[in-house]
Amino acid sequence: ATDEGFVLAGSRRILDGQFPHLDFLTLRPAGSSYLHALVVKYGGANTFYLSRFIFWIQSAIIAWLWVVISNKLLKMKISTIYRYLLATIVFIFNVHSFPAMAWTTIDGLFLSTIGLWLITHFSKNGNQ
């Protein structure tokens, strides 16, 4: 079994009306099960394919936002073509390091990256 099975099984249990840590025990954070609940609900026979597609989308967003965050915090002026090239390199390193599946680690990196981007995007000078 992989972590993907645990995450998607937790999502199914949530959709069935159960509450993590109350109705069923899990050592993994429950946020991933909530995050992937729509995949389980609407995925049908393609749930695993859709789950892995979500991984690819999350990895692309992580790569792009880290380029944007780094660009702002380092106060660099990088052209658009170099940003895309750098994001592509970061994306390749990311998907090379992690298996393509619903995983609490990827979900945590995804949500943390979005949070860091929100902080840097809405701060006045990017250093707060």
Side-chain angles (χ1 to χ4, degrees), residues 8-128:
L8 297 178
S11 297
R12 168 61 23 207
R13 296 181 89 159
I14 288 169
L15 290 171
D16 290 340
Q18 296 182 4
F19 293 98
H21 309 295
L22 180 65
D23 294 324
F24 64 96
L25 297 177
T26 178
L27 296 176
R28 290 164 181 78
S32 289
S33 294
Y34 283 106
L35 190 63
H36 293 278
L38 290 176
V39 171
V40 173
K41 184 173 184 172
Y42 297 111
N46 298 315
T47 298
F48 285 108
Y49 294 124
L50 186 57
S51 170
R52 290 170 187 176
F53 178 70
I54 297 296
F55 161 82
W56 291 103
I57 297 297
Q58 286 178 324
S59 295
I61 291 171
I62 289 168
W64 179 252
L65 287 182
W66 270 106
V67 170
V68 171
I69 292 166
S70 300
N71 192 34
K72 182 166 184 177
L73 292 179
L74 297 174
K75 295 179 176 32
M76 298 171 58
K77 304 254 191 247
I78 302 175
S79 70
T80 304
I81 191 117
Y82 284 125
R83 283 188 211 167
Y84 284 120
L85 181 62
L86 187 57
T88 302
I89 292 169
V90 172
F91 175 76
I92 290 169
F93 280 138
N94 187 30
V95 298
H96 177 73
S97 301
F98 295 105
M101 64 180 179
W103 198 19
T104 55
T105 302
I106 295 297
D107 295 336
L109 286 171
F110 175 69
L111 295 174
S112 298
T113 301
I114 289 176
L116 185 59
W117 174 77
L118 288 171
I119 290 169
T120 58
H121 182 72
F122 290 111
S123 68
K124 291 182 182 180
N125 59 9
N127 292 329
Q128 297 175 354

